[in-house]
Each structure stands twice: as structure tokens, then as C-alpha cells.
Amino acid sequence: MVEPNESETPAASSESVDAGVLMEEIVDILKLINYEESFLSAKGFKPLTRAQFSIQGANPSEQFIYFTALASWLLQINGSQASFNKYDDPSTVANSIIVEMKKFGIDLDLPPGKLRGGHGEGPCLVLLSLAKRALQTKKFKFGKPIFPKESEMEGEVIEDDEEGEIVDEAIQEEEEEAIFAEVAAGQAVNQVEEEGFRQNAPVWSSIDPNEWLLEVERVAPRLKLPVDPTGGDIREWRAHLEQTKLLKENIEKDFPDVELKLRRIADDLSKAVERIGSQEKKINLSMGEIAGDYRNQANRLNDVTTRYKQVNENVAELSAQYQQLGEKIEDYQQKIEMQGKMVTNISPLQAIKEGLKLLKVEGKDMELRSAVLSHALFQSKLKEKSTNDA
């Protein structure tokens, strides 16, 4: 496993990497932070496999619960207080995980919908980012690799039977490659008959057996399976192979009975479909007249509906015209009322009469004043004349 780079973002580092490769790196990092004791023993989950979250499992609900629990544990290692329940809404849980990661400065360009499935590239990117951050939080540092010396490698002996099988398989593959190389070198491209003859003819190896044994002794120690220091099973693929063989035997055992039952079900379904088809034909024949009447009534209903719409449109137009005429009538009525009020109003006449009365009174006053003035003038003239005569 390569040491994670602090400046490398998960989104940028896994653009061309599939979920299976990401899952392998996740398992390696989790083993470094001792997730077997801290997480598996405490939570009661099974150990992670290389395809745990890379593909959809048999039970998607349990797969999402496992992903949620593992993400919550990694968040708590990084200092978050977030915790999720298996009864929480998946959309809420996915949003909360992305929000908590943004608090740590981990910004993944992922919609929450990619996390609800619990498998695929999205969940693997989230777990890988949190696992790398957990390594930094725990201040984990990779030591220098220790390589075995050449003398120790030559002195080792393969003790495991499975290791011997791997060596035999490697030897067999090399022999087959050498055979195919010799056959390919000796074939003539333009001679079809000779080519067929050489393909069917026996092939003999030209390699010295002693040199071959020396090469096997030199390479065999390097093919020895190392012991996993984290306690994992290095022969996990064999268990999967055995399980696959067992499942294949069970399928071959149960296949005849299941096939017979499925054929019976298929026959019953075909008979039921035939019966349904015949009943449908009978119903169509018996309901022909009623269906014709229904069509006629439906056509009449369409005609009536069309006429009803037209009448409604005419009524709407007439209503608009009636409203306009009503507004005009109201305007005329207001004008008539104003003219009537102006005709029947006698207040101007009364004002004129009162004005005439005032004029008469003022005229009398003026006459009286003029008489007094003329008398006073006459008196003064008489006095002047008397004084002149004297």
C-alpha cells in the first residue's frame, strides 16, 4: 500500500480508479488503525472483504447500515460527535456525513444520492477519505521496508502444501508458455496443411531438466505466501472457491426439481392465459350491442357538450353586452337626476327677491338723504342771499 499524500484530494486521486481498487486500499488502511478490535469487536460486524462496498450486496439495507456504522466510527476518530441510528432516514444520514466531512476540510463533489445505496464509488471515496484522515489523526507513520537477505531466501523451504501447489501451477504455466512459444516459432504462415499437422503433433521440451530444477529452487522461496501481520486470512480466495463449488453442487442438486416446478407453473400460466383469452372473446361477443349503444350515446354526449360550450360562449357575450348597457343606463340616470335638480331648484329666485327688497330699502334711504341735502342746500342759499341784501 502506498502512503497517503496529505495534499492529494480523494476526488482527484480516484478519477480513473474503480470501486474495487478503492476498497482494497480502504481495507489496508483500516487494518493499520486496528479496526478489528476497535470496531468489529465493539460493534459486532463481520470483517470487511475486498468487495464489501464496491458492488451491491445481497441485502442492501444491511450494507448501508454497515457503511453508516463504519463512517460514524471514522468520524468519531477524527473528532466528530456525529452518531447515526439504523432507523434514521438514509437521505438525512448521507447529508450529515457530507456536512461533517466538510467541517474537516474534505470536500467531495458527490451528491447525497450516491451514498444512499451503500455501494459504489461514492461510499468508497467517503470511507477512503475518512480513513486517510484517521491515519493523520492517529499520527501514523510508515516505517522503512525490511527486505529479506538473498541467503535467507535461498535457505528457506516451502512447508505448506498450498505453497507447493502454487509453485507447481507457476511451473506448469511457464512450461505451457514455452511450449506455445516453440509452436508459434515453428509455424509457417503461408502453409495451412503444415500448420495443422504441427498443431496436432506432440511437442517435446528442449530445456535441460537440471537447469529447470535449479531455476525452481531459486524462484520457489519467492513464491512463498507471507504471513499477514494484521491477522487476516491470506487464503481467503480458497474459502470463496470452496463456497462457490458448494453452491454449484447445491444448484445442480436442486435444479431438476425447480425446473419441473417452474415448467408446471409455466403450463398453468399458459392455460390460465388461454382461459382468460377465451372469456375475453365471449365477453366481447356478448357485449357487442351494448358497446355499440355506448358508442352512440358517447357521440351524442359529445355533440351536446359541443352545443353546450357554444351556448355558454353566446351567454358570456350577451352578459358582457348587458353589463355595458347597464353602465350606460346608469350614466344617463345620473345626468337626468342632475338636470332635474337644477330645474326644480328655487334658491336662485329667492336670492333675487331678497336682493330686490334690499335695493328698495336702500332706494328709500337714498331718497330721504337727497331730500335732506336739498333742504340743507336751500337753507344755505337763503342765508347767503339775506346776508348779501343786508
Side-chain angles (χ1 to χ4, degrees), residues 176-188 195 198-199 201-203:
E176 291 175 355
E177 291 177 358
I179 291 171
F180 289 140
E182 290 178 0
V183 172
Q187 288 177 349
E195 181 180 357
R198 291 181 181 180
Q199 287 180 352
V203 179

Side-chain angles (χ1 to χ4, degrees), residues 46-61:
K46 295 181 179 179
L48 287 173
T49 61
R50 302 291 178 177
Q52 184 72 39
F53 300 115
S54 60
I55 59 175
Q56 184 177 2
N59 192 341
S61 177

Side-chain angles (χ1 to χ4, degrees), residues 246-264:
L246 181 60
L247 292 174
K248 181 181 179 182
E249 293 177 357
N250 294 332
I251 291 172
E252 292 177 351
K253 180 180 178 182
D254 298 335
F255 179 74
D257 296 336
V258 175
E259 184 181 10
L260 181 61
K261 292 179 181 179
L262 291 175
R263 286 181 178 177
R264 290 177 181 174

Side-chain angles (χ1 to χ4, degrees), residues 19-20 23 26-27 30 39 48-57 62-71 117-124 127:
M23 195 62 211
I26 290 168
V27 173
L30 290 177
F39 176 72
L48 287 173
T49 61
R50 302 291 178 177
Q52 184 72 39
F53 300 115
S54 60
I55 59 175
Q56 184 177 2
E62 293 182 358
Q63 191 175 22
F64 181 75
I65 292 172
Y66 199 155
F67 164 71
T68 303
L70 185 56
H119 67 278
E121 183 181 2
C124 290
L127 293 177

